[in-house]
Amino acid sequence: MEAVIFDMDGVLFDTERLSISCWLETAERMGLGDIREGAYGCIGLNRTDSRIFIRQLYGDAFPYDEFRANNSALFQKKIERDGLPVKKGAREILSWLKETGIKTAVASSTNTQTVTGHMERAGFLPYFQEIIGGDMVEHSKPRPDIYLMACRRLGVEPEKAAAIEDSPNGIKSAHAAGMFPVMVPDMVEPTAEIEALLFRKCGDLFEVKEFLEEIFCRQKS
């Protein structure tokens, strides 16, 4: 294993819960009813695929652009007010990977500008060689495109890289790319189907760090 590639929302930052709450609050304000199914179904999707999914779920009359704009504004307002919630163990695992010299990247379905902004706000930019956002590929997770791009930019073969994910869509994407999918469940627990795709399931990033330390220790010996 030569590289570790991280999803962002739900892995490095505890933003999935905030995102879901903003979806529900925005829908209530706009009188759109309960869109819980849509909110959870879009976890791991980029904007292009989210639009397709929502239109399939709620019909072409759904005011997607207006909803997305209002939702994004609400999300940003809460981040600026309350700060960016960093997942426990995030700083520790990133510091260890940097000290060890292991290549790292972010592969997030969120647009690149937002990903870069979050990384800068948290002080995480120096830990990554590459930042890949959902707007850099036509279709994001569960398709493998974003992880294949991340591996290509890092100069590593997918079969020599681990993907740290929290969502079923992310795990499917990493598995399809031929990587080692490591899941740290956040909002959605893995089904039996997803469990079968995993290289490892961990409770938090501290556990991921311990697991990776074992792997890289064995590689050196």
Side-chain angles (χ1 to χ4, degrees), residues 41-161:
C42 283
I43 293 176
L45 302 183
N46 67 2
R47 289 189 177 183
T48 299
D49 291 334
S50 291
R51 178 193 296 273
I52 293 171
F53 178 76
I54 291 298
R55 288 282 170 82
Q56 289 175 341
L57 196 60
Y58 301 119
D60 292 338
F62 186 90
Y64 182 83
D65 291 325
E66 180 185 0
F67 173 83
R68 193 82 195 204
N70 291 341
N71 184 59
S72 296
L74 179 61
F75 182 89
Q76 188 61 34
K77 179 181 178 181
K78 292 189 176 186
I79 287 292
E80 291 175 356
R81 183 191 66 196
D82 303 325
L84 194 61
V86 177
K87 282 281 193 176
K88 65 178 183 177
R91 297 186 190 280
E92 288 80 0
I93 191 172
L94 293 177
S95 295
W96 172 75
L97 288 168
K98 186 176 180 64
E99 292 170 4
T100 311
I102 299 165
K103 294 180 179 181
T104 55
V106 176
S108 171
S109 295
T110 301
N111 70 81
T112 308
Q113 183 178 359
T114 299
V115 176
T116 303
H118 282 3
M119 293 301 158
E120 186 173 15
R121 182 189 291 263
F124 286 175
L125 274 181
Y127 293 118
F128 296 103
Q129 285 80 60
E130 295 290 340
I131 302 288
I132 312 297
D135 54 319
M136 295 173 67
V137 292
E138 182 178 358
H139 294 292
S140 190
K141 307 164 187 178
R143 302 191 190 187
D145 307 40
I146 194 166
Y147 276 117
L148 292 174
M149 176 181 286
C151 289
R152 187 165 60 251
R153 289 190 169 222
L154 285 177
V156 300
E157 295 298 322
E159 58 267 24
K160 295 182 179 179

